[in-house]
Amino acid sequence: QAQVMESGGGSVQPGGSLTLSCTVTGYIRSPRCMGWFRQDPGKEREWISLMNLGNSRAEYVDSVKGRFIMTQEIGMDTVFLIMKNLKPEDTAMYYCTIAGVANGHMLCPRMRASYDDWGQGTQVTVSS
């Protein structure tokens, strides 16, 4: 089983910025996607940013478009989520995950069940 390690969460005021990091070791399926999901207590875990590591193509849920940027360290299973102009509604536990995808697929799966391994999560709190 692969190991997924996130870091970088914390508490910021509205309008602030944070960068989350995630590294995966021991994952053998290829090609692959990595993603960031978030979850509020009592709610479903939702995807917010996904990236096909083969083409560096990232996609974002509407609520974070223009504020969050997902990047990768080329050649490694390491991604970052740069979060700017944070809002109180961004408060959640953020999880990093990884999935294998079929050859030729440009987009990443959006369903939680499609992902194989998950990190423990890192808390982001946005509050004044």
Side-chain angles (χ1 to χ4, degrees), residues 39-115:
Q39 186 172 20
D40 282 334
K43 294 186 178 180
E44 292 292 318
R45 191 173 297 186
E46 61 173 357
W47 75 274
I48 55 169
S49 182
L50 308 169
M51 177 179 280
N52 185 316
L53 299 190
N55 58 31
S56 300
R57 178 190 174 107
E59 56 180 322
Y60 305 91
V61 71
D62 285 346
S63 60
V64 307
K65 280 181 182 176
R67 300 188 298 120
F68 290 12
I69 299 173
M70 186 173 179
T71 65
Q72 69 171 124
E73 189 166 341
I74 300 297
M76 299 183 66
D77 291 337
T78 297
V79 295
F80 306 92
L81 187 66
I82 303 166
M83 305 185 294
K84 298 181 178 180
N85 190 22
L86 283 160
K87 303 176 180 181
E89 52 263 43
D90 295 317
T91 296
M93 186 72 79
Y94 284 68
Y95 296 90
C96 179
T97 187
I98 190 166
V101 295
N103 283 319
H105 275 213
M106 301 294 288
L107 298 179
C108 295
R110 296 182 175 184
M111 293 181 62
R112 176 181 175 178
S114 298
Y115 288 82

